[in-house]
Amino acid sequence: MKSTSAFLLLALLVSGCSGAQSVLNAEGHAAIELRTLILGTILVCAAVWLVVTMALVSALVRRSDRDGGAVSERKAAAAVSGAVGATVLVITGLTIASFYTTRALSEAPTPELTIDVTAQQWWWQFNYVDQNSARAFVVANELHIPVGKAVRLRLKSSDVIHSFWVPSLAGKQDLIPGRENSLTLQAERPGIYRGQCAEFCGLQHSHMALFVIAEAQADYERWAERQRGAGAEPTEPEMVAGKALFMARQCAACHTIRGTRAAGATGPDLTHIGSRRTIAAGLLENTRGSLAAWIADPQTLKPGNNMPLVPLTSDELRQLAAYMENLQ
Amino acid sequence: MDDGLDDAELERHLLQRWETPHGVWNALATVDHKIIARRYLVTAFVFLILGGLLAVAMRIQLAQPEARILDPDRYNQIFTMHGSTMMFLFAVPVMEAMAIYLVPLMVGTRNIAFPRLNAYSYWIILVGGLLLWISFALDAAPDVGWFAYVPLSGPEYGSGKRADIWAQMITFTELSALAVAVEIVVTVFKQRAPGMSLDRIPLLVWSMLVMAFIVIMAMPAIMFASSTLILDRLVETQFYNPAAGGDVLLWQHVFWFFGHPEVYIIFLPAAGMASTIVATFSRRTIFGYLPLVMAFIATGVLAFGLWVHHMFVVGLPRLGEGFFTASSMAIAVPAGIQIFCWLATLWLGRPVFATPLLFVIGFIVTFVIGGLTGVMVASVPFDTQVHDTYFVVAHFHYVLVGGAVFPLLGAIYYWFPKMTGRMMSERLGRWAFGLIFLGFNLTFFPMHILGLLGMPRRVYTYQPELPWAGLNLFISLSALLLVSGFVVFFIDVLRAWRSGEPAGPNPWKAGTLEWATSSPPPAYNFRRIPVVDACNPLWVHPDELAVTTGLRVDRRELIASSVVEALPQARESSPRDSIWPFWAAIATSIMLIGSIFTPWAVVWGSIPIAVTLIGWFWPKGTAEDTS
């Protein structure tokens, strides 16, 4: 059991340098507050465990003074009452620390940006709402936010319960059908932060990841401006053929590519799929090869997901992947 | 009357009245609490093995990233089966089994109250377990988690009959648990040996009594939950459909209103076992009897005020969060009182390091970790980072395995001689303890770290670029150590059962009444009902206990006594063996399983139940029926 504290120390060291999805690798306003509370509480509890274990060991190895007389009974009674008193103190202290953290978290600055998050089996939709509805746009599985700014997420689910969790930025919050929750994110440093659904939501709960990309305001604006635009027009014959295929086959029934007649709402918006780092909710790195692999056989890569297997020749696959990749 | 008879004559008469004759028919009809408890115990441990094998399967799958040994569908069935089996078919029944065996012996009576109901409850839980496991064998087991959150388990997303099977399995287990709880309460309140006033009740019996009250108050909540779930699925009621005015969070409230007390249903009996073992092997009475009893009761009361800490990330109002944080933290106080009283007992006594005590020492060391991580997740902000991660998996395994299975294994080593008349091996016992203790900690401690490193629960796989592969492999290998410890334990049980050394009535020189009779106890438990004037009567009167006389020997009779002072009030008849509980259980099972498929099963299925109940209660003209 001595190994427990050593383990903890090791974990802290390891996570300090790696950990794209780690509570200890805190880079957001809330996550930093939480890390302080978590490490403080763990230290206090480790000390309590050590004291109890030492008391146990000394009770077991003690050899003298075991006459069990009235004196030692009284001593034991005093020790037990003292220990219970100390328990109450520690518990009260931890409760107060917990309340203060909650208060610090609720004092977050007023949000400058609101994003509607809709979770569904098994991917994330982010709707960048805007008072001018022409400026609103929708992306999937990749959330860009300006660094240092508070961003309010309105959390909704369109099927079962999910949970939005990007540990480096903030604690998790459930997305519940029939309800709306909210969560404020504020990244203190630019970076790419991985998150993942934390509430069991069915077959592909394991593969429901997202990335939050926190970037400087100017970079964020540039990205948002590009996302507002329509999907890129194909430039090469291969891509042109890919676009034609997309519109002719089942693809357009489920996916939207703004600027084309593809306006399906079941699957992720693909208007700028080529600009995303990953596909299939964080499952694969976004390359032409993985796009082709995904389109060819989504059910082997992510069994049970809602994308059907569409029979295509290898030429058609190549054309579709090229078109997707071009949608920057 | 037994006054005039000598011992041999009396034993002959009692055996004739109480013994279960040989034969399958008689075995099905028996109402002997010891025989039924033995069945419960064996069944529960078989489910422990099955549930453990499922855990091994999950560890094999998770040992490497992107492993394809189990597909997600199988994996989801397996983790659902693991949780449901361990909670509903092992942990609760095994604690009930210990109560059924030990409580009548420890309070000095001849059989449990409502013995036919007891027989019925066993058949019911057996069928519930078979239902779940046969569905698993047919690849149609529930895949929605042991908590079965709607709407994933509801009519829209829960396909096939899987969630229905889960819901009815719950109905079977809650039915049997409620029956046993009522038997325990009545046995403890009304059948204690003369003189066993409230302050002389053994601590294990106190803990079982509090457990029984928690069962009585918690099980109706899950009964409501599982019934409304199956109604939503079967006859399109809309309890949990937000589109029709239902509410998905309602499910979580009723489930955890049961689900959190469930933890104490499992833990409190273990605390009673630990108290017993600590006292016996410290060679002194327990330190702080009254504070311990108060702590048991306080735990039982508080258990109902902290269910919301399972729901800290669903979006609660701040005031509610604060209340449930404080109440969840507060339960650490009665837990602390228990730990400190055991430590004081060890400190004041002369500890003998027999295997049962080793398990209790291991229990204290690990349970304190589980309790402290419990304090951590009681804090709302802390919980938002670790909820539904491996940190929580580590936490509750420390509480349930560290806090309940360790004392239970100690209790098996402790009471095995009483149940079988044979001793288990001290040498194998030490090996089993060492391997289980080490294997457990190496398996579950690193899960805390995995949780902090961001690994969510209930994932069937993870990607190689995530920094979890090393720890997962380490955990899977450590699990083998844990399994080997259990293998040694089961080998020891089988070996001792067949050829263990004879134990004699009181091998540990313990002080409570179950050791006042032979090992294994005769069908009638005690030749004459003892009279009690101390907490540990056998320590005060090592040679001979005072006994009562005046019970009839021509029929099954025991003493009914008053609730507080245990003053003898009446001679009460105890029911004879009957086959009707068996038939009633079969009829109930047909109705419950049928209702998975059609609501009409409830209508037509109630007819055979009515028939069997009429048979059960039909006056047969014997003394036991009429008095």
Side-chain angles (χ1 to χ4, degrees):
Chain A
M1 289 314 301
K2 284 276 157 24
S3 63
T4 56
S5 38
F7 244 112
L8 202 63
L9 210 66
L10 190 73
L12 295 183
L13 292 174
V14 169
S15 60
C17 37
S18 73
Q21 179 175 314
S22 165
V23 171
L24 304 168
N25 179 39
E27 303 283 8
H29 170 73
I32 292 168
E33 293 277 353
L34 291 172
R35 185 179 56 186
T36 310
L37 175 77
I38 287 169
L39 293 183
T41 310
I42 288 177
L43 275 181
V44 170
C45 291
V48 171
W49 180 81
L50 214 61
V51 170
V52 173
T53 306
M54 274 168 12
L56 173 66
V57 170
S58 70
L60 294 175
V61 300
R62 211 168 69 105
R63 278 284 162 260
S64 57
D65 187 28
R66 281 195 193 267
D67 36 353
V71 180
S72 39
E73 284 272 341
R74 264 207 306 279
K75 264 200 279 187
V80 168
S81 326
V84 174
T87 307
V88 174
L89 279 182
V90 171
I91 293 303
T92 312
L94 292 176
T95 309
I96 291 171
S98 166
F99 288 163
Y100 268 99
T101 308
T102 304
R103 214 166 69 173
L105 291 183
S106 62
E107 280 163 0
T110 35
E112 304 189 11
L113 179 66
T114 301
I115 301 165
D116 279 346
V117 179
T118 309
Q120 42 217 298
Q121 290 175 326
W122 289 274
W123 59 282
W124 306 87
Q125 176 177 290
F126 303 115
N127 187 351
Y128 286 69
V129 289
D130 198 300
Q131 280 174 332
N132 175 0
S133 65
R135 285 174 58 79
F137 61 91
V138 174
V139 296
N141 302 325
E142 194 172 294
L143 184 68
H144 287 244
I145 59 172
V147 84
K149 301 275 165 57
V151 177
R152 181 157 173 266
L153 304 182
R154 287 199 299 231
L155 305 172
K156 283 174 272 192
S157 166
S158 62
D159 41 45
V160 300
I161 302 176
H162 302 272
S163 194
F164 183 94
W165 188 39
V166 184
S168 299
L169 296 179
K172 62 183 71 65
Q173 188 78 57
D174 284 355
L175 305 95
I176 300 170
R179 284 174 185 255
E180 184 184 307
N181 277 330
S182 86
L183 182 69
T184 304
L185 291 187
Q186 182 176 328
E188 302 294 358
R189 256 191 294 272
I192 303 172
Y193 306 108
R194 190 181 192 271
Q196 188 165 355
C197 177
E199 180 62 82
F200 177 64
C201 58
L203 275 181
Q204 281 301 333
H205 168 57
S206 317
H207 290 134
M208 187 171 163
L210 69 138
F211 286 90
V212 178
I213 294 166
E215 50 201 358
Q217 182 76 28
D219 292 339
Y220 167 75
E221 296 289 357
R222 216 170 356 214
W223 172 84
E225 206 43 54
R226 213 173 55 210
Q227 297 292 321
R228 283 183 193 109
E233 275 308 314
T235 49
E236 289 168 31
E238 198 178 31
M239 299 169 191
V240 174
K243 180 176 180 182
L245 265 173
F246 191 94
M247 304 302 156
R249 300 299 186 94
Q250 292 99 311
C251 317
C254 294
H255 295 282
T256 294
I257 297 175
R258 274 172 279 133
T260 72
R261 53 189 186 78
T266 324
D269 185 306
L270 299 179
T271 310
H272 298 284
I273 172 84
S275 73
R276 293 178 204 149
R277 278 172 172 72
T278 61
I279 58 168
L283 182 67
L284 301 168
E285 209 182 323
N286 189 359
T287 63
R288 193 182 287 204
S290 61
L291 280 166
W294 172 253
I295 299 165
D297 192 0
Q299 291 302 327
T300 300
L301 290 166
K302 193 169 172 176
N305 88 85
N306 294 318
M307 176 141 157
L309 198 152
V310 180
L312 294 165
T313 66
S314 58
D315 282 341
E316 290 173 326
L317 261 180
R318 218 171 24 247
Q319 293 158 354
L320 261 180
Y323 174 54
M324 292 289 106
E325 196 185 28
N326 188 49
L327 288 170
Q328 292 283 339
Chain B
M1 294 292 170
D2 58 4
D3 319 39
L5 302 171
D6 65 25
D7 286 355
E9 182 84 348
L10 176 58
E11 278 171 18
R12 199 175 55 75
H13 278 290
L14 286 171
L15 217 50
Q16 207 180 347
R17 286 296 139 231
W18 289 86
E19 199 177 38
T20 304
H22 286 290
V24 177
W25 199 254
N26 293 319
L28 293 178
T30 187
V31 297
D32 184 336
H33 73 102
K34 299 177 291 299
I35 295 175
I36 292 167
R38 215 159 58 207
R39 286 176 191 164
Y40 254 104
L41 274 174
V42 171
T43 310
F45 274 99
V46 167
F47 282 124
L48 171 71
I49 295 171
L50 292 173
L53 290 175
L54 295 176
V56 170
M58 288 190 281
R59 283 321 316 173
I60 291 172
Q61 163 73 8
L62 291 175
Q64 319 159 40
E66 298 284 18
R68 298 219 164 216
I69 297 156
L70 299 173
D71 62 36
D73 178 55
R74 257 298 168 186
Y75 188 89
N76 292 348
Q77 288 185 50
I78 286 177
F79 86 71
T80 304
M81 291 288 295
H82 172 74
S84 303
T85 301
M86 290 304 201
M87 295 299 275
F88 294 112
L89 303 177
F90 166 65
V92 174
V94 85
M95 294 304 175
E96 285 163 356
M98 295 298 275
I100 294 169
Y101 196 96
L102 292 170
V103 166
L105 285 166
M106 291 180 100
V107 302
T109 188
R110 292 207 156 133
N111 202 354
I112 199 163
F114 313 128
R116 290 181 183 174
L117 186 63
N118 194 27
Y120 172 81
S121 78
Y122 172 74
W123 302 119
I124 286 291
I125 195 143
L126 179 66
V127 177
L130 290 176
L131 167 68
L132 188 68
W133 274 84
I134 289 172
S135 79
F136 182 62
L138 300 175
D139 200 19
D143 56 350
V144 290
W146 85 278
F147 44 91
Y149 275 8
V150 290
L152 193 60
S153 62
E156 205 178 335
Y157 299 99
S159 58
K161 290 294 171 191
R162 295 173 164 203
D164 308 277
I165 289 167
W166 180 86
Q168 288 311 59
M169 182 274 296
I170 297 299
T171 309
F172 277 101
T173 57
E174 69 206 9
L175 196 55
S176 108
L178 277 170
V180 175
V182 171
E183 294 153 26
I184 294 171
V185 169
V186 175
T187 307
V188 175
F189 277 175
K190 292 305 294 175
Q191 290 185 201
R192 301 202 306 279
M196 188 183 278
S197 49
L198 286 185
D199 57 345
R200 292 176 189 150
I201 296 180
L203 281 170
L204 181 84
V205 175
W206 266 116
S207 71
M208 292 296 188
L209 180 67
V210 178
M211 177 272 267
F213 273 108
I214 302 179
V215 167
I216 290 170
M217 284 183 275
M219 288 293 169
I222 187 71
M223 193 167 260
F224 172 82
S226 62
S227 306
T228 47
L229 175 64
I230 207 162
L231 282 171
D232 264 15
R233 294 178 57 92
L234 202 61
V235 296
E236 288 162 33
T237 55
Q238 309 286 348
F239 286 96
Y240 303 115
N241 179 7
D247 184 12
V248 297
L249 282 190
L250 173 64
W251 170 266
Q252 299 190 18
H253 281 292
V254 286
F255 183 81
W256 291 116
F257 187 82
F258 144 83
H260 195 81
E262 168 93 340
V263 176
Y264 299 99
I265 290 171
I266 296 164
F267 169 72
L268 278 175
M273 294 166 186
S275 306
T276 312
I277 292 170
V278 163
T280 298
F281 292 98
S282 298
R283 300 270 171 265
R284 55 156 290 145
T285 51
I286 195 89
F287 176 88
Y289 175 90
L290 186 62
L292 278 169
V293 173
M294 291 298 158
F296 291 166
I297 296 172
T299 307
V301 173
L302 278 173
F304 287 92
L306 26 90
W307 78 94
V308 174
H309 76 209
H310 296 268
M311 303 166 60
F312 277 164
V313 297
V314 302
L316 292 170
R318 179 111 338 131
L319 183 69
E321 284 184 359
F323 174 81
F324 285 102
T325 290
S327 63
S328 308
M329 294 260 187
I331 201 141
V333 176
I337 291 174
Q338 293 167 45
I339 301 273
F340 302 138
C341 286
W342 297 325
L343 289 185
T345 309
L346 289 168
W347 180 274
L348 293 168
R350 295 172 190 284
V352 179
F353 293 98
T355 305
L357 187 66
L358 292 184
F359 274 105
V360 170
I361 292 167
F363 150 67
I364 294 175
V365 171
T366 48
F367 174 67
V368 170
I369 295 180
L372 288 167
T373 51
V375 166
M376 297 178 197
V377 297
S379 154
V380 174
F382 194 119
D383 189 58
T384 60
Q385 283 288 35
V386 297
H387 187 81
D388 274 332
T389 70
Y390 265 84
F391 188 92
V392 172
V393 177
H395 157 67
F396 69 74
H397 281 94
Y398 266 84
V399 172
L400 291 171
V401 180
V405 175
F406 278 25
L408 174 73
L409 295 179
I412 297 292
Y413 271 89
Y414 182 70
W415 278 295
F416 190 87
K418 179 50 62 186
M419 295 175 178
T420 63
R422 294 175 185 279
M423 301 296 287
M424 288 176 72
S425 152
E426 271 298 302
R427 207 165 63 91
L428 289 178
R430 275 161 205 274
W431 272 101
F433 167 72
L435 287 169
I436 291 175
F437 181 78
L438 200 68
F440 171 78
N441 281 291
L442 292 177
T443 303
F444 288 97
F445 195 84
M447 289 189 189
H448 293 111
I449 299 165
L450 265 186
L452 292 176
L453 291 180
M455 182 162 168
R457 293 169 74 175
R458 301 162 188 147
V459 290
Y460 78 97
T461 191
Y462 51 93
Q463 284 149 269
E465 57 268 29
L466 293 159
W468 305 330
L471 275 175
N472 271 304
L473 182 61
F474 179 81
I475 289 168
S476 295
L477 291 174
S478 305
L480 296 179
L481 206 61
L482 181 55
V483 170
S484 68
F486 274 98
V487 170
V488 174
F489 170 76
F490 284 113
I491 287 174
D492 196 13
V493 167
L494 294 178
R495 187 205 58 81
W497 205 326
R498 282 201 0 242
S499 57
E501 273 183 54
N506 190 2
W508 310 113
K509 302 193 174 40
T512 40
L513 281 186
E514 77 273 29
W515 305 103
T517 183
S518 59
S519 305
Y524 47 86
N525 287 356
F526 299 94
R527 198 187 307 130
R528 289 190 165 88
I529 302 298
V531 176
V532 174
D533 59 358
C535 259
N536 291 291
L538 298 191
W539 283 348
V540 182
H541 310 283
D543 301 322
E544 199 169 5
L545 288 175
V547 292
T548 58
T549 56
L551 287 180
R552 296 175 70 126
V553 292
D554 58 344
R555 61 166 97 147
R556 294 186 176 190
E557 230 178 34
L558 41 79
I559 297 177
S561 50
S562 65
V563 174
V564 178
E565 301 285 343
L567 299 172
Q569 286 175 316
R571 291 181 299 146
E572 177 69 29
S573 291
S574 183
R576 296 193 308 173
D577 294 359
S578 163
I579 192 65
W580 285 105
F582 177 73
W583 294 130
I586 300 271
T588 314
S589 305
I590 290 170
M591 188 270 270
L592 288 177
I593 294 176
S595 68
I596 292 174
F597 302 96
T598 161
W600 285 103
V602 179
V603 179
W604 298 117
S606 60
I607 296 169
I609 295 180
V611 170
T612 51
L613 288 183
I614 289 167
W616 182 336
F617 292 105
W618 194 265
K620 297 173 190 70
T622 60
E624 282 89 338
D625 286 321
T626 49
S627 67

